[in-house]
Amino acid sequence: MADFVASIDQGTTSTRAMIFNHRGEEVGRHQLEHQQLLPRAGWVEHNPVEIWERTWSVLATSLNVTGLSSGDLAAVGVTNQRETTLVWNRHTGRPYCNAIVWQDTRTDKIAAALDRDGRGDVIREKAGLPPATYFSGGKLQWILENIDGVRRDAENGDALFGTPDSWVIWNLTGGIRGGVHVTDVTNASRTMLMNLETLDWDDELLSFFSIPRQMLPPIKASSPVEPFGVTTHMGPLGGEVPIAGDLGDQQAAMVGQVCLSPGEAKNTYGTGNFLLLNTGEELVRSRNGLLTTVCYQFGDNKPVYALEGSIAVTGSAVQWLRDQLGIISGAAQSEDLARQVEDNGGVYFVPAFSGLFAPYWRSDARGAIVGLSRFNTNAHLARATLEAICYQSREVVEAMEADSGVHLEVLKVDGGITANKLCMQIQADTLGVDVVRPVVAETTALGAAYAAGLAVGFWKDVDDLRRNWQEDERWSSSISEEQRAHGFAGWKKAVQRTLDWVEV
């Protein structure tokens, strides 16, 4: 059998390909950023063609730098930024418009209307999600209503909808030459269109958004009995490799962190933060502003569910310091700058650029920096940005404990920001529990590889995966309970200043 599994991680700011061996160790990677298109306030778009070009490049380059070929790969797994909405023509392969990204808030009035007339309660019950700009259903409705020709082509079966996993898989399996249009249960569970119990598109939910069913992809298990399809000789791998895993990025991180038993949780630090708690085969309805979502489904087994706390802006706040304000030259510099001060100097930064997600779900909120005096410097703002990441995570942890009754003893963390040791120390301080990072911090890509490898027998079972997990670094709280409470009270006060800013 081939000795490696490849993984495509199509993220919000970049696309990466990674190659792993049987021990779950990285043997090669390549990563490229793509453009963030911000045509007007609240709008966030990506160019689907650029995303596909980046996917091609990172796959081909990762093979080149490792000296491997398609014959060395047992399978490919795909993971992706969830909710981001694409529509393309099945005959030409051309997108009708740019992808509408999960952070985009142009659908705020659609979301607000759902909550005013009772449809929101049906969506909560069937899909496990609150009506919000975050999810795909409203974005797809907007495209159908505002982009010429899309509704006509959708009703004729010519226009295809997908999240980025569907777009990548369709292109990898041939595109206009027989490409497979498909998604998995985790991505479908983020649309407001899938019934969590039937694991199928729900006609009542589709009617709320006036979406033709024929434009939607079939929904399969995350690690299916039969592969989603195979790559083509004409594609970036230059040969046929089964595409055998597909998971939304946060669910992939759960698999990569081997959080496969009820009660296990992880927090991924990326563009946003996403804390998930495995609830097993039980659907747990949140009373505290969390989402009920599919965690994964392997083969013919029942789906495993999770509670999720989604935070829209964490790593992208650091990116904002770099790109929009210009006070740092790179993400790594945020740690050096923040270390120049002992504390935040009274400054709190609530980065509600896309409103507030969990546990508030307030699309009327906007970002605020509060507590400023002439004493404050850019170092205080950098420190407040790192603290914002950690305070938002604490709010989600508290909601999760209230919903599940499970007290978090240790927080498993992963994602790019975990390289920021100051941020991880602040997280341990704000939570009062140990924070643990594994050796492979890019667990999103690893999780997609695990799903694909399990499907083709590269890994025998989940015990194989558990043996691969290793602790790399641990942070413990270094402040008193009184200091922790004082800092958090200031954060809660700051959050109140962001509310009721825009009309929805």
Side-chain angles (χ1 to χ4, degrees), residues 233 237 353 409 431 488:
H233 290 282
L237 296 180
F353 300 151
E409 301 293 340
L431 284 176
F488 191 52

PDB file of all heavy atoms in Angstrom, residues 233 237 353 409 431 488:
ATOM      1  N   HIS A 233      -5.843  12.198 -14.154  1.00  0.00           N
ATOM      2  CA  HIS A 233      -4.465  12.292 -14.664  1.00  0.00           C
ATOM      3  C   HIS A 233      -4.128  13.710 -15.102  1.00  0.00           C
ATOM      4  O   HIS A 233      -2.968  14.116 -15.072  1.00  0.00           O
ATOM      5  CB  HIS A 233      -4.277  11.330 -15.840  1.00  0.00           C
ATOM      6  CG  HIS A 233      -4.286   9.892 -15.435  1.00  0.00           C
ATOM      7  ND1 HIS A 233      -3.207   9.271 -14.845  1.00  0.00           N
ATOM      8  CD2 HIS A 233      -5.263   8.944 -15.513  1.00  0.00           C
ATOM      9  CE1 HIS A 233      -3.507   8.008 -14.576  1.00  0.00           C
ATOM     10  NE2 HIS A 233      -4.750   7.789 -14.974  1.00  0.00           N
ATOM     11  N   LEU A 237      -2.350  16.213  -9.211  1.00  0.00           N
ATOM     12  CA  LEU A 237      -1.621  15.047  -8.708  1.00  0.00           C
ATOM     13  C   LEU A 237      -1.072  14.176  -9.839  1.00  0.00           C
ATOM     14  O   LEU A 237      -0.250  13.297  -9.596  1.00  0.00           O
ATOM     15  CB  LEU A 237      -2.525  14.211  -7.784  1.00  0.00           C
ATOM     16  CG  LEU A 237      -2.993  14.901  -6.502  1.00  0.00           C
ATOM     17  CD1 LEU A 237      -3.885  13.968  -5.687  1.00  0.00           C
ATOM     18  CD2 LEU A 237      -1.802  15.351  -5.657  1.00  0.00           C
ATOM     19  N   PHE A 353     -16.325  42.813  13.946  1.00  0.00           N
ATOM     20  CA  PHE A 353     -16.376  43.283  12.555  1.00  0.00           C
ATOM     21  C   PHE A 353     -17.562  42.686  11.793  1.00  0.00           C
ATOM     22  O   PHE A 353     -18.082  43.303  10.870  1.00  0.00           O
ATOM     23  CB  PHE A 353     -15.083  42.915  11.804  1.00  0.00           C
ATOM     24  CG  PHE A 353     -13.831  43.483  12.392  1.00  0.00           C
ATOM     25  CD1 PHE A 353     -12.626  42.813  12.236  1.00  0.00           C
ATOM     26  CD2 PHE A 353     -13.837  44.686  13.080  1.00  0.00           C
ATOM     27  CE1 PHE A 353     -11.450  43.337  12.764  1.00  0.00           C
ATOM     28  CE2 PHE A 353     -12.669  45.215  13.619  1.00  0.00           C
ATOM     29  CZ  PHE A 353     -11.468  44.527  13.456  1.00  0.00           C
ATOM     30  N   GLU A 409     -11.627  20.455  32.103  1.00  0.00           N
ATOM     31  CA  GLU A 409     -10.439  20.265  32.952  1.00  0.00           C
ATOM     32  C   GLU A 409      -9.170  20.731  32.252  1.00  0.00           C
ATOM     33  O   GLU A 409      -8.224  21.190  32.884  1.00  0.00           O
ATOM     34  CB  GLU A 409     -10.302  18.776  33.309  1.00  0.00           C
ATOM     35  CG  GLU A 409     -11.489  18.180  34.055  1.00  0.00           C
ATOM     36  CD  GLU A 409     -11.653  18.760  35.454  1.00  0.00           C
ATOM     37  OE1 GLU A 409     -10.675  19.317  35.979  1.00  0.00           O
ATOM     38  OE2 GLU A 409     -12.769  18.679  35.994  1.00  0.00           O
ATOM     39  N   LEU A 431      -8.947  31.487  31.556  1.00  0.00           N
ATOM     40  CA  LEU A 431      -9.804  30.325  31.825  1.00  0.00           C
ATOM     41  C   LEU A 431      -9.565  29.711  33.206  1.00  0.00           C
ATOM     42  O   LEU A 431     -10.470  29.126  33.802  1.00  0.00           O
ATOM     43  CB  LEU A 431      -9.569  29.234  30.773  1.00  0.00           C
ATOM     44  CG  LEU A 431     -10.169  29.432  29.387  1.00  0.00           C
ATOM     45  CD1 LEU A 431      -9.742  28.289  28.477  1.00  0.00           C
ATOM     46  CD2 LEU A 431     -11.688  29.526  29.439  1.00  0.00           C
ATOM     47  N   PHE A 488     -12.110  39.985  33.348  1.00  0.00           N
ATOM     48  CA  PHE A 488     -13.281  39.518  32.608  1.00  0.00           C
ATOM     49  C   PHE A 488     -14.451  40.497  32.764  1.00  0.00           C
ATOM     50  O   PHE A 488     -15.212  40.720  31.819  1.00  0.00           O
ATOM     51  CB  PHE A 488     -13.681  38.124  33.096  1.00  0.00           C
ATOM     52  CG  PHE A 488     -14.703  37.441  32.232  1.00  0.00           C
ATOM     53  CD1 PHE A 488     -14.516  37.320  30.864  1.00  0.00           C
ATOM     54  CD2 PHE A 488     -15.851  36.890  32.791  1.00  0.00           C
ATOM     55  CE1 PHE A 488     -15.456  36.674  30.063  1.00  0.00           C
ATOM     56  CE2 PHE A 488     -16.786  36.247  32.005  1.00  0.00           C
ATOM     57  CZ  PHE A 488     -16.594  36.140  30.640  1.00  0.00           C
TER      58      PHE A 488
END
